[in-house]
């Protein structure tokens, strides 16, 4: 058993156990963390471990014990890759004895040193007159029920139940199903998650499992939530298309890899994406059970939890859209630490701050740049001279209705929003007060005509930061001066709120795409 993981600092780390935990330890210390755990040698006392091993006559044992059973298998034209979505494979029924025969043939080929999988057979499959498949490497016994408490008639290999023991730490759990996984040739399963907790037990052979936490979902491009295979990734295992799926290039940074051998067991919490490679003649059994969290959910609370979780993801996405570390540390004509950002004592007359002194170079530079940007947007063909005489006049002009507000959501695409972002709250306050005094129509144009959705989000966040740094009296005076510029103060407030809601709506679109595989109103999400 070997383990490797990515370098992502915040990635939940897989835990390794040489000792089998008690039921109490598992319930209190392992399961609640929702982090994968490996239990080395966990099932070596199983009858299946000693009796099913193909190298020790296990195939003859399985033939005698369950050969007469009919099993349902996956058939894949893309073998050795087996994609779990229903459009990428067929379900075929065959006698278990027939599949055991394929395994015996492969075991003989391995002993003779022959290749167990011929590449020339990869894309063609036919069924012979005897009912056997010409290319058995394209058959995989996946999720063949040994136990299923919800649908007993689907159980196909109940006769093997006595060879499989319940791990002691699962004795208090209500197991939903126990399944057999068996491949005659090398196989690869597509990346997916399970809606149940999963204990994967390796009876014989070897499996390599790559795991991603649920938070890595955006990098794996899930299938649409309304689809029949919504728990599967859309990424191609062999040749991922990074042009169509650019975030996938970073998926390895969030992954952990474990190699399991006979006797090992891996706890895969619900929601964890995993992709499994199995060597030739690998046999495994897994247990599925519902988590306590899902079991405890009340139906009448579903809509509330849905809204809360979506809101959490939207807030997180909005923060990520604004998170540009390389820009946060940028300086505007000087050291950012020179910007005023200490709490202002109460009673300061803000009108005294409305005229910037030439010594306040940082604020003067920001003011000049901001006025210039607004002029360029509103009157692109007129030269800019940042004096009161050159103040914009936008109210009452018919042509102002023709100016389209920029529909921008990325800081890097919007120089106005970026300028606001790089200013400390109190420095920005000085700039806005100077605009209100010297360039009131330019300030009006900034809010009503120029400010994009990301700009509105940045500005209102700066307002919230100012509130933490100034007293209530100063806060009231500032907004009285700021909104006093506008002939219609309600229109100014609406412009800011509409921009913020537009920004949040874009974040919502991104959440639908990244976590649910859904494009909102058919539009494309914002690619970061």
């Amino acid at each position: 058993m070997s383990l490797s993981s990515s370098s992502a600092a915040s990635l939940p780390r897989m835990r390794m156990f040489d000792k089998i935990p008690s039921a109490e330890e598992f319930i209190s210390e392992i399961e609640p963390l929702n982090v994968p755990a490996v239990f080395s040698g966990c099932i070596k006392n199983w009858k299946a471990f000693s009796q099913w091993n193909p190298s020790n006559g296990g195939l003859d044992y399985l033939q005698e014990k369950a050969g007469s059973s009919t099993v349902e298998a996956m058939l894949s034209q893309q073998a050795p890759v087996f994609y779990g979505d229903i459009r990428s494979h067929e379900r075929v029924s065959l006698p278990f004895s027939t599949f055991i025969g394929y395994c015996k043939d492969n075991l003989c080929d391995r002993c003779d040193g022959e290749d167990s999988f011929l590449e020339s057979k990869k894309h063609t499959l036919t069924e012979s007159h005897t009912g056997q498949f010409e290319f058995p490497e394209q058959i995989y016994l996946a999720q063949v029920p040994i136990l299923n408490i919800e649908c007993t008639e689907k159980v196909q290999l109940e006769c093997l139940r006595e060879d499989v023991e319940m791990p002691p730490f699962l004795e208090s759990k209500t197991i939903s199903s126990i399944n057999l996984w068996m491949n005659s040739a090398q196989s690869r399963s597509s990346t997916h998650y399970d809606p149940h907790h999963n204990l994967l037990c390796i009876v014989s052979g070897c499996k390599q499992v790559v795991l991603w936490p649920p938070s890595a979902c955006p990098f794996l491009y899930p299938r649409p939530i309304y689809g029949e295979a919504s728990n599967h990734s859309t990424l191609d295992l062999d040749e991922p298309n990074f042009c169509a799926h650019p975030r996938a290039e970073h998926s390895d940074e969030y992954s952990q890899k474990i190699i399991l051998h006979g006797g090992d067991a891996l706890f895969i919490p619900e929601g964890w994406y995993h992709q499994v490679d199995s060597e030739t003649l690998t046999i495994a059994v897994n247990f599925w059970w519902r988590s306590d969290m899902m079991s405890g959910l009340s139906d009448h609370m579903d809509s509330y939890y849905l809204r809360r979780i979506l809101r959490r993801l939207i807030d997180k996405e909005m923060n990520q859209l604004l998170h540009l570390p390389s820009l946060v540390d940028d300086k505007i004509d000087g050291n950012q630490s020179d910007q005023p950002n200490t709490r202002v004592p109460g009673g300061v007359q803000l009108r005294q701050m409305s005229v910037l002194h030439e010594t306040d170079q940082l604020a003067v530079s920001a003011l000049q740049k901001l006025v210039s940007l607004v002029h360029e947007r509103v009157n692109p063909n007129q030269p800019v001279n940042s004096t009161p005489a050159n103040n914009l006049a936008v109210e009452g002009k018919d042509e102002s209705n023709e100016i389209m507000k920029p529909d921008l959501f990325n800081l890097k695409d919007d120089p106005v929003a970026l300028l606001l972002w790089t200013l400390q709250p109190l420095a920005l306050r000085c700039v806005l007060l100077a605009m209100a005094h010297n360039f009131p129509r330019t300030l009006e144009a900034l809010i009503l005509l120029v400010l994009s959705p990301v700009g509105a989000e940045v500005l209102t966040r700066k307002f919230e930061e100012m509130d933490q740094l100034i007293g209530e009296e100063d806060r009231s005076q500032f907004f009285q001066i700021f909104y006093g510029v506008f002939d219609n103060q309600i229109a100014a407030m609406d412009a800011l709120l509409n921009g913020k809601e537009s920004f949040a709506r874009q974040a919502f679109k991104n959440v639908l795409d990244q976590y649910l595989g859904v494009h909102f109103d058919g539009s494309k999400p914002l690619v970061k």
Side-chain angles (χ1 to χ4, degrees):
M1 175 176 56
S2 60
L3 171 68
S4 61
S5 63
S6 73
S7 58
S10 60
L11 184 67
R13 297 296 175 184
M14 189 183 312
R15 304 177 69 190
M16 315 291 288
F17 294 88
D18 293 326
K19 177 184 175 183
I20 301 175
S22 66
E24 293 76 14
E25 290 172 332
F26 183 79
I27 292 172
S28 63
E29 300 176 16
I30 300 174
E31 186 181 22
L33 298 179
N34 286 312
V35 174
V38 178
F39 307 104
S40 180
C42 175
I43 65 164
K44 286 188 175 181
N45 61 332
W46 284 11
K47 185 177 180 180
F49 181 76
S50 59
Q51 297 293 326
W52 294 7
N53 192 329
S55 300
N56 297 326
L59 296 177
D60 291 331
Y61 174 86
L62 291 171
Q63 175 96 0
E64 181 179 350
K65 192 172 185 68
S68 60
S69 302
T70 298
V71 294
E72 192 174 75
M74 290 179 67
L75 185 158
S76 173
Q77 301 288 344
Q78 298 169 292
V81 177
F82 290 82
Y83 289 97
D85 64 286
I86 197 168
R87 290 183 174 87
S88 299
H89 72 272
E90 299 177 48
R91 303 296 295 188
V92 296
S93 296
L94 73 163
F96 189 47
S97 59
T98 299
F99 183 78
I100 293 296
Y102 299 154
C103 293
K104 288 183 175 181
D105 291 342
N106 223 334
L107 184 62
C108 291
D109 290 343
R110 292 179 71 189
C111 294
D112 295 338
E114 296 181 12
D115 189 358
S116 63
F117 183 79
L118 299 180
E119 196 67 25
S120 60
K121 299 178 179 180
K122 185 174 183 179
H123 299 293
T124 307
L125 182 79
T126 58
E127 190 174 356
S128 70
H129 296 296
T130 62
Q132 295 189 357
F133 295 99
E134 185 176 353
F135 303 122
E137 295 87 354
Q138 295 178 335
I139 297 291
Y140 177 35
L141 294 191
Q143 196 180 326
V144 180
I146 297 174
L147 170 73
N148 189 315
I149 62 172
E150 296 178 356
C151 190
T152 56
E153 60 268 22
K154 288 186 177 181
V155 176
Q156 300 165 10
L157 292 175
E158 187 176 8
C159 56
L160 298 180
R161 178 67 184 89
E162 63 183 22
D163 293 352
V164 176
E165 298 181 21
M166 182 72 68
F169 53 86
L170 295 185
E171 289 177 352
S172 63
K173 302 296 179 182
T174 300
I175 301 300
S176 303
S177 63
I178 304 174
N179 306 287
L180 175 74
W181 307 75
M182 188 172 179
N183 53 287
S184 64
Q186 292 179 355
S187 67
R188 307 190 73 197
S189 71
S190 57
T191 305
H192 67 285
Y193 67 85
D194 298 320
H196 295 79
H197 282 335
N198 181 7
L199 185 71
L200 177 63
C201 306
I202 311 303
V203 177
S204 66
C206 177
K207 286 182 181 285
Q208 173 184 277
V209 185
V210 184
L211 297 129
W212 293 264
S215 57
C217 176
F219 303 96
L220 300 174
Y221 290 84
R223 292 183 178 274
I225 191 65
Y226 52 76
E228 291 298 318
S230 59
N231 63 321
H232 282 259
S233 166
T234 60
L235 298 179
D236 187 285
L237 279 181
D238 291 328
E239 298 179 355
N241 186 342
F242 294 134
C243 292
H245 306 119
R247 292 189 303 270
E249 288 193 85
H250 304 285
S251 63
D252 286 348
E253 299 172 17
Y254 298 86
S255 68
Q256 298 176 75
K257 185 185 298 182
I258 183 70
I259 297 177
L260 305 168
H261 299 278
D264 296 334
L266 170 64
F267 169 54
I268 306 176
E270 63 177 353
W272 276 72
Y273 282 87
H274 49 283
Q275 186 274 315
V276 184
D277 288 356
S278 303
E279 74 169 15
T280 301
L281 296 175
T282 294
I283 304 174
V285 170
N286 87 298
F287 298 80
W288 273 326
W289 70 97
R290 294 187 72 187
S291 68
D292 291 341
M293 188 197 73
M294 294 304 299
S295 299
L297 284 179
S298 301
D299 291 345
H300 71 279
M301 296 296 289
D302 286 351
S303 60
Y304 167 71
Y305 290 133
L306 173 64
R307 292 179 67 87
R308 282 297 302 271
I309 291 171
L310 276 175
R311 185 68 248 186
R312 280 165 57 105
L313 290 174
I314 290 169
D315 289 343
K316 178 182 177 182
E317 178 64 14
M318 290 168 67
N319 289 335
Q320 289 179 345
L321 287 173
L322 294 176
H323 182 58
L324 295 177
S326 62
L327 297 176
V328 171
D329 295 330
D330 282 353
K331 303 340 185 243
I332 301 180
D333 191 26
N335 193 321
Q336 181 130 339
S337 62
D338 294 337
Q339 300 183 42
N341 196 29
T342 56
R343 188 173 184 88
V344 176
V348 175
Q349 294 298 314
L350 297 188
R351 294 186 185 276
Q352 297 176 1
M353 305 174 63
S354 60
V355 179
L356 294 178
H357 298 288
E358 290 300 325
T359 55
D360 299 328
Q361 290 300 318
L362 181 66
V364 170
S365 174
L367 174 63
Q368 292 173 341
K369 185 176 293 187
L370 187 57
V371 169
S372 175
L373 288 170
V374 174
H375 275 259
E376 289 173 2
R377 174 63 184 166
V378 178
N379 295 318
N381 297 322
Q382 295 183 11
V384 179
N385 180 5
S386 48
T387 65
N390 195 33
N391 194 29
L392 287 178
V394 298
E395 71 278 12
K397 297 287 186 179
D398 293 337
E399 60 266 29
S400 67
N401 296 326
E402 301 176 2
I403 300 174
M404 296 296 294
K405 238 182 174 183
D407 194 25
L408 301 175
F409 302 94
N410 253 333
L411 279 176
K412 64 181 181 181
D413 299 327
D414 187 349
V416 172
L418 184 56
L419 176 59
L420 299 176
W421 177 256
T422 53
L423 283 170
Q424 293 285 0
L426 297 184
L428 177 59
R429 183 183 65 156
C430 293
V431 170
L432 294 176
L433 288 172
M435 288 187 73
H437 179 78
N438 298 293
F439 309 103
R441 299 287 70 82
T442 303
L443 177 58
E444 186 177 28
L446 169 66
I447 302 302
L448 298 180
L449 301 178
V450 175
L451 206 61
S452 67
V454 66
E457 180 65 25
V458 168
L459 182 58
T460 52
R461 288 193 182 205
K462 293 294 183 179
F463 285 166
E464 293 171 0
E465 293 175 23
M466 288 182 201
D467 290 346
Q468 303 300 315
L469 299 171
I470 62 178
E472 181 62 31
E473 181 181 351
D474 289 340
R475 175 184 177 278
S476 178
Q477 288 183 22
F478 168 77
F479 284 113
Q480 184 178 3
I481 296 171
F482 178 82
Y483 285 110
V485 167
F486 301 90
D487 293 333
N488 187 340
Q489 296 185 14
I490 300 299
M493 294 180 184
D494 282 346
L496 290 174
L497 289 175
N498 290 339
K500 281 179 64 67
E501 290 177 352
S502 179
F503 184 75
R505 187 172 184 266
Q506 180 62 55
F508 176 57
K509 291 180 184 180
N510 292 358
V511 166
L512 291 183
D513 169 67
Q514 295 172 17
Y515 294 92
L516 303 181
V518 176
H519 294 325
F520 189 79
D521 290 340
S523 61
K524 292 184 177 180
L526 177 66
V527 177
K528 301 191 293 296

